[in-house]
Structure formats: structure tokens, C-alpha cells
């Protein structure tokens, strides 16, 4: 169990301001999936902060003041409850351990800067810069970028569905499809224009409507695998950088950061993107690797994924009946 897992149901009252000159509001603060969720008293989300970026402005003092970055000139929330403060401190420490150490971070930034500059000087090709950037950005940084994008996406998709039993079922589905050591995380959201979508950090968003409409866990598995297959065709971070442009890509390579507004814009555009039929040539091998039949999923989306390579094969159950029922009701509790 991770530090975050222990606090998934923890929430507390707080005082939040949207900016330095805005009126303060009484709010409820809770843990989201890699985010800190700030909601009004009616439960409507006001803001989502990336947990790896949450910064305490007054260490050792009460009430504790947190911001979504290093500076106190933007949003801020005051918390007085010791349990929530201790939880944020523990999660922050756990996440900081997962980040590259400063020396290593400087090494990959410096190395990336040198290599990227050489690539630009020799080739002056945007794809060379892209390849170099994707090669040097480590997984913890990708996870931080993905968490920030997810926080922005929830303004359009609705807040992540977080029924504890159903989240455990989603984790078991991920284990069944990708293995226990894989980095993929299935996150269900109320509304998504497509069945599934992958963002940096191994996060695969799954549309709750598509999940509820499925009468077979193989269909839900198919949606997840379609999102995964898309990430194999195009690196989710590459999709972000394609949208951001050459200057922002070079900025990530040299500084290790992406502007918040860049991630917010990408989240807005990506959520609204229409459904595209998956490419059978890339999708079928993913189904085979995960030992999932293609027929149930193909029948739902009307795709040609025949012949089913798993037809007649004996495969492990995708989910137990109890887990399947829990997952289908993840947004109802």
C-alpha cells in the first residue's frame, strides 16, 4: 500500500483563495488520483492540484498554507486539521523520493541540453529535438505531467470516480491486462468523448458511459487496451509536445518543466477530441499479449478485428463477477 492509498478517503475543511486578491472561501480538501481536490461545500470541484507540485509556504506553522507551486502569488489553501496536514506531508515525502535526485536531475537536464543543442545545430530538425526530449524525460516527471493534465481534464470530464472497492477492481483489471509490475493506472471519469485515452505517466482514462454500456468485462478490457495501443503508437508525452510546439519542447529539455497553461490547453483539447476507430494492425497484437478476445469489443464499436486470434483459446478470467459489478458502479458511490 502506498502513502497515497492510505488517505484516499481522507478529507478536511479548509480556507481557499483563487488568487492573491480574491475572496477566501470555506472548502473541503480531499485526495484525488495523484491530485489534491478542492471542492465547495456542495461538493462541486473548484480546483485540482498536482500532488507532486504541492508546496507548503509556512513549514512548522499552523494553520498550514499550501500552494500548487513554489510561489505564493496564485492559489492557496489554509488547513488546520493535523490529520490532513500530516497526510499531505507524508505523501509529499513519498513522491519526492520517487523523483530524480537533484544531481541526477541536473545530469539529465544538462545532458539533454547538450545533446539537444547538438541535434539542433547539426540537423535543425524538430523531430530530432522531439526524439531527444522524449528520450531523457524520466518516468517520475512524466507522472507529474500526467497528474497535472488529469487535474485540468476533470473540469470537463467530471471528478474521478473513486469508490474504494471499484478502484481495487480497476487495479486488478490493470494487473490482469498488463501485469503487476506495469506502470499503467486505470482511472474512470464520468464523461469522455472516446472510450479511453492515455496521458503521460501510464494513466489510462476510461469513460464511465462506455463502462456502464458494456455487458462483458472483455468490452471494458477492450476499451482500456485501445487506449494503451494508442499510447504505443504515439507516446502520450509526444502528443502533448506536438500541441505545445518547438519552443515549449526545448523548454522541457533544458529546464525540466512545462508551463501550466500549456498543460491546461492540452487537457481541454484532448478531452473534446472525437472518437477515432482504432487501427487493427496495432490493436490486435495488444489483445493477444493480454490474452483478451477481440470479438466482444469489436461488436460494440463496430470495428473489423476478425478473425479473433483468441477464438478457441482458454484464457484467465478478466474479472470476477464481484469485481465486474463493483467496476460498473464506480461512479455511483
Amino acid at each position: 500500500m502506498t502513502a497515497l492509498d492510505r488517505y484516499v478517503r481522507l478529507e478536511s475543511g479548509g480556507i481557499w483563495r483563487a488568487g492573491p486578491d480574491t475572496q477566501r472561501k470555506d472548502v473541503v480538501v480531499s485526495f484525488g488520483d495523484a491530485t489534491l481536490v478542492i471542492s465547495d461545500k456542495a461538493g462541486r470541484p473548484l480546483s485540482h492540484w498536482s500532488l507532486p507540485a504541492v508546496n507548503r509556504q509556512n513549514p512548522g506553522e499552523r494553520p498550514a498554507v499550501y500552494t500548487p507551486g513554489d510561489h505564493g502569488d496564485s492559489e492557496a489553501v489554509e488547513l488546520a486539521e493535523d490529520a490532513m496536514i500530516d497526510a499531505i506531508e507524508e505523501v509529499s515525502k513519498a513522491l519526492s523520493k520517487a523523483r530524480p535526485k537533484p544531481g541526477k536531475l541536473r545530469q539529465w537536464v544538462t545532458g539533454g541540453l547538450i545533446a539537444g543543442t547538438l541535434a539542433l545545430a547539426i540537423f535543425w530538425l524538430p523531430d530530432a529535438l522531439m526524439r531527444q526530449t522524449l528520450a531523457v524525460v524520466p518516468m517520475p516527471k512524466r507522472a507529474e505531467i500526467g497528474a497535472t493534465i488529469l487535474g485540468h481534464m476533470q473540469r470537463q470530464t467530471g471528478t474521478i470516480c473513486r469508490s474504494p472497492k471499484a478502484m481495487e477492481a480497476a487495479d486488478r483489471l490493470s494487473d490482469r491486462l498488463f501485469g503487476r509490475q506495469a506502470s499503467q493506472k486505470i482511472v474512470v471519469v464520468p464523461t469522455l468523448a472516446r472510450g479511453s485515452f492515455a496521458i503521460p505517466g501510464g494513466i489510462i482514462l476510461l469513460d464511465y458511459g462506455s463502462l456502464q454500456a458494456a455487458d462483458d468485462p472483455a468490452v471494458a478490457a477492450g476499451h482500456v487496451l485501445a487506449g494503451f495501443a494508442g499510447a504505443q503508437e504515439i507516446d502520450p508525452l509526444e502528443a502533448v509536445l506536438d500541441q505545445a510546439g518547438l519552443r515549449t519542447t526545448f523548454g522541457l529539455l533544458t529546464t525540466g518543466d512545462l508551463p501550466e497553461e500549456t498543460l491546461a490547453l492540452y487537457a481541454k483539447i484532448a478531452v473534446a477530441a472525437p472518437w477515432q476507430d482504432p487501427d487493427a494492425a496495432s490493436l490486435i497484437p495488444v489483445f493477444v499479449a493480454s490474452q483478451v478476445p477481440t470479438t466482444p469489443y469489436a461488436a460494440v464499436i463496430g470495428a473489423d478485428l476478425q478473425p479473433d486470434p483468441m477464438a478457441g483459446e482458454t484464457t484467465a478470467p478478466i474479472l470476477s463477477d464481484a469485481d465486474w459489478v463493483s467496476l460498473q458502479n464506480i461512479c455511483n458511490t
Side-chain angles (χ1 to χ4, degrees):
M1 177 180 290
T2 66
L4 181 56
D5 292 334
R6 289 199 296 274
Y7 301 119
V8 291
R9 304 185 69 178
L10 181 64
E11 63 180 28
S12 75
I15 300 175
W16 172 77
R17 60 172 172 81
D21 300 320
T22 59
Q23 184 175 359
R24 304 198 307 169
K25 298 181 180 180
D26 290 330
V27 295
V28 175
V29 180
S30 59
F31 285 94
D33 196 318
T35 61
L36 202 64
V37 182
I38 300 173
S39 309
D40 63 18
K41 294 296 185 178
R44 294 183 294 265
L46 299 171
S47 188
H48 300 80
W49 296 358
S50 168
L51 273 171
V54 170
N55 185 66
R56 186 169 181 178
Q57 295 292 318
N58 59 342
E61 299 180 17
R62 291 290 194 276
V65 178
Y66 293 95
T67 62
D70 292 334
H71 305 289
D73 56 356
S74 57
E75 293 181 70
V77 66
E78 294 182 10
L79 299 174
E81 296 186 21
D82 290 340
M84 177 59 80
I85 295 172
D86 292 342
I88 294 175
E89 298 298 318
E90 181 175 348
V91 171
S92 296
K93 289 179 182 178
L95 290 171
S96 67
K97 290 179 181 179
R99 292 178 175 175
K101 297 299 184 290
K104 293 182 179 179
L105 180 60
R106 283 194 295 270
Q107 289 174 11
W108 77 259
V109 169
T110 303
L113 174 59
I114 294 171
T117 302
L118 286 174
L120 288 174
I122 297 173
F123 303 106
W124 200 253
L125 293 174
D127 60 339
L129 174 61
M130 178 70 77
R131 288 195 304 271
Q132 181 61 28
T133 303
L134 295 175
V136 301
V137 177
M139 188 59 187
K141 186 63 183 182
R142 288 171 177 261
E144 180 182 332
I145 291 170
T148 303
I149 291 172
L150 180 58
H152 288 296
M153 280 184 164
Q154 290 176 85
R155 295 188 176 100
Q156 284 81 44
T157 66
T159 303
I160 296 169
C161 301
R162 298 188 55 80
S163 168
K165 286 186 178 180
M167 290 174 64
E168 292 175 3
D171 288 341
R172 281 190 280 272
L173 176 59
S174 180
D175 291 344
R176 165 64 178 80
L177 298 180
F178 307 113
R180 292 182 178 274
Q181 302 305 316
S183 61
Q184 278 68 38
K185 175 74 173 179
I186 298 171
V187 176
V188 180
V189 293
T191 305
L192 198 63
R194 60 190 85 181
S196 63
F197 184 65
I199 59 179
I203 300 171
I204 300 177
L205 303 184
L206 180 60
D207 172 50
Y208 181 55
S210 299
L211 181 60
Q212 269 205 319
D215 58 4
D216 185 334
V219 177
H223 283 297
V224 173
L225 291 174
F228 177 75
Q232 302 310 297
E233 283 192 332
I234 301 178
D235 186 329
L237 181 57
E238 182 178 355
V240 175
L241 298 179
D242 275 340
Q243 172 67 40
L246 185 62
R247 183 186 296 273
T248 302
T249 301
F250 189 70
L252 175 62
L253 179 65
T254 56
T255 69
D257 289 314
L258 285 174
E260 185 79 15
E261 58 269 21
T262 295
L263 301 180
L265 178 60
Y266 175 78
K268 183 177 181 180
I269 294 173
V271 166
W275 168 264
Q276 292 183 344
D277 289 335
D279 178 64
S282 61
L283 189 54
I284 290 178
V286 172
F287 275 72
V288 172
S290 295
Q291 297 288 287
V292 173
T294 61
T295 301
Y297 175 69
V300 168
I301 67 168
D304 182 10
L305 300 176
Q306 299 298 326
D308 189 335
M310 302 310 298
E313 298 288 335
T314 300
T315 60
I318 293 174
L319 281 177
S320 69
D321 290 343
D323 278 345
W324 176 231
V325 170
S326 294
L327 189 60
Q328 282 197 300
N329 289 279
I330 190 171
C331 293
N332 292 339
T333 57

